[in-house]
Amino acid sequence: FFVTTCQTYETSSNNNNQQNQQSVEIPSECPMSSKYNKNNNNKNNNTSTNSTNSASYNVYGQKIDPNNNMPLVPNQVPHSDQVKPLDTQRIESTIRKGGTQSDKWIYPSEQMFFNALKRKGKANGITEEDMEVLLKIHNGTNERAWKLVMQWERALHACECQEPTLLRFIGKPADLAPKAWIKSRLMGYSAPFDRHDWIVDRCGKEVRYVLDFYYDESGSEDDSDMVLTVNEDGFVVPKHVDIDVRPALDNFENLSDRVRFMFKPRNTNL
């Protein structure tokens, strides 16, 4: 459930455009692609105003940004079942936000994370004291997931787009992707505990990635051996969570990417 609650992200106003170093370097001969089309040629302002001003809401009754399905106003109000105050400070991710020049996604605060768990019925046995660790694991898992997405982008599409961004995402914990269905139903593997579909903006081209999150069952059964490491960006990364990232089979190009990626060098320590 850690990753599912990241749907409380919000855009950042920080204009620091620092990019993470990837395991596969961008070829120097690759031209920078800039295919973002932000021109609006509508001369009739009245007709365009009607569509942009139409309110959109999620299943929880929250008003959302139709561009990324995120709540417009973050919920920092203490929950009615809450007995201790929680931090409302938010941390900026390293994940560039699609549709912006240089903004990055911002992770939820402890208060927002707690409210999200309560709202989704996933807070059984969880107290305010657990929020700090759970939020660090949530953030670090998403940082690791983005690095894995970027391995695909750098290995296969560096010449096409040097700065892909995360446009939007949706949690699908109850929906098994075809690969996960085959592994869990026909091959005897455990099913993923969570699934996300991430829509990447590849310089104007939307590409859907499927992310399956598994508990690593190859290690010790002793809970005391659970390992949390800190990556180069200062985020906590749980070593007992495996993330299977791949382009969705939406078209022939994504299928071709899956085949080509098998022969590309990659960082297996992410």
Side-chain angles (χ1 to χ4, degrees):
F1 62 87
F2 302 135
V3 184
T4 302
T5 54
C6 69
Q7 294 181 27
T8 52
Y9 287 169
E10 183 182 86
T11 184
S12 165
S13 59
N14 191 324
N15 290 324
N16 181 7
N17 195 24
Q18 181 179 2
Q19 184 178 0
N20 293 333
Q21 183 178 359
Q22 305 296 326
S23 58
V24 180
E25 294 185 357
I26 304 172
S28 57
E29 66 272 14
C30 292
M32 176 60 184
S33 175
S34 179
K35 297 182 180 179
Y36 292 111
N37 183 9
K38 296 183 178 179
N39 296 325
N40 186 351
N41 295 322
N42 261 329
K43 295 182 179 180
N44 190 338
N45 293 329
N46 291 331
T47 56
S48 62
T49 302
N50 291 335
S51 59
T52 45
N53 287 345
S54 57
S56 298
Y57 297 85
N58 61 18
V59 295
Y60 305 106
Q62 297 172 310
K63 196 171 183 178
I64 61 174
D65 182 348
N67 294 318
N68 52 38
N69 298 328
M70 295 295 103
L72 286 173
V73 180
N75 182 10
Q76 298 274 29
V77 179
H79 194 272
S80 58
D81 295 339
Q82 192 172 327
V83 296
K84 293 183 180 180
L86 288 169
D87 193 358
T88 58
Q89 182 179 3
R90 306 179 66 183
I91 298 176
E92 184 183 70
S93 75
T94 65
I95 305 173
R96 295 190 63 241
K97 181 175 173 55
T100 67
Q101 291 295 328
S102 57
D103 289 348
K104 295 184 176 69
W105 290 90
I106 295 184
Y107 289 123
S109 66
E110 291 181 11
Q111 184 65 66
M112 294 168 63
F113 195 81
F114 185 79
N115 290 344
L117 292 177
K118 287 288 188 179
R119 185 178 69 243
K120 298 179 181 185
K122 297 182 177 180
N124 292 337
I126 295 177
T127 66
E128 291 86 342
E129 286 79 6
D130 301 320
M131 285 303 99
E132 181 179 0
V133 173
L134 293 184
L135 188 58
K136 287 181 178 179
I137 293 174
H138 164 271
N139 297 351
T141 300
N142 281 280
E143 290 291 320
R144 182 180 169 203
W146 179 245
K147 288 181 182 294
L148 291 171
V149 169
M150 291 298 290
Q151 274 203 143
W152 285 82
E153 291 295 308
R154 298 299 180 197
L156 303 175
H157 299 281
C159 290
E160 179 183 347
C161 182
Q162 295 185 6
E163 296 184 1
T165 60
L166 178 59
L167 191 61
R168 61 185 181 275
F169 53 88
I170 183 172
K172 296 183 176 181
D175 297 338
L176 288 178
K179 181 179 179 180
W181 187 92
I182 292 173
K183 289 178 64 177
S184 61
R185 300 294 175 84
L186 303 181
M187 301 176 65
Y189 290 94
S190 298
F193 68 84
D194 199 6
R195 171 192 167 181
H196 267 194
D197 284 9
W198 286 14
I199 310 302
V200 172
D201 185 346
R202 187 184 292 158
C203 294
K205 181 178 182 178
E206 293 188 11
V207 182
R208 182 168 67 99
Y209 277 85
V210 176
L211 293 79
D212 284 328
F213 299 85
Y214 295 88
Y215 291 116
D216 183 3
E217 300 175 350
S218 62
S220 170
E221 296 182 358
D222 186 354
D223 289 342
S224 63
D225 290 338
M226 176 67 72
V227 178
L228 300 177
T229 61
V230 179
N231 68 9
E232 66 273 16
D233 299 307
F235 289 95
V236 172
V237 179
K239 285 296 186 181
H240 282 207
V241 174
D242 287 334
I243 311 174
D244 185 3
V245 176
R246 70 274 187 195
L249 295 179
D250 294 334
N251 49 58
F252 179 78
E253 181 182 28
N254 286 3
L255 174 61
S256 174
D257 280 355
R258 287 199 187 188
V259 175
R260 294 194 298 141
F261 190 70
M262 293 189 294
F263 304 98
K264 293 289 184 178
R266 71 195 75 172
N267 184 357
T268 59
N269 294 321
L270 289 178

